[in-house]
Amino acid sequence: MKKDIHPDYHMITVRMTDGTEYQTRSTWGAEGDTMTLEIDPNSHPAWTGGNRQLIDTGGQVARFNKRFGGLSLSKK
């Protein structure tokens, strides 16, 4: 491994949105810094299930049916 080309890898504290903290190694910040998260697996809808809404923007299903509705798989 080449010398002096790799970032400093050190211990930091990560503070989650609910106040819990854990120690990890990172190249972010400096030794002993605290990274405060605004979004984490405890609060983000992608992990929590959030508000699930199916939105048909611009009538995508209607456009599909208009373009391909006359097609059939049976032979005539």
Side-chain angles (χ1 to χ4, degrees):
M1 188 159 49
K2 292 183 181 180
K3 294 182 187 263
D4 300 325
I5 65 167
H6 300 285
D8 179 34
Y9 199 56
H10 49 269
M11 295 298 289
I12 65 166
T13 303
V14 177
R15 182 177 297 131
M16 308 287 266
T17 56
D18 64 356
T20 59
E21 295 181 351
Y22 66 92
Q23 296 279 321
T24 188
R25 292 175 52 97
S26 176
T27 58
W28 179 86
E31 179 78 30
D33 281 354
T34 300
M35 176 188 289
T36 303
L37 300 179
E38 295 176 7
I39 298 174
D40 64 16
N42 297 327
S43 64
H44 194 278
W47 287 287
T48 62
N51 299 331
R52 294 183 182 162
Q53 296 177 351
L54 179 61
I55 300 173
D56 184 16
T57 56
Q60 292 178 358
V61 174
R63 283 194 312 226
F64 178 85
N65 288 334
K66 181 179 176 184
R67 290 178 68 190
F68 302 109
L71 298 177
S72 68
L73 297 175
S74 63
K75 293 183 179 182
K76 293 182 180 179

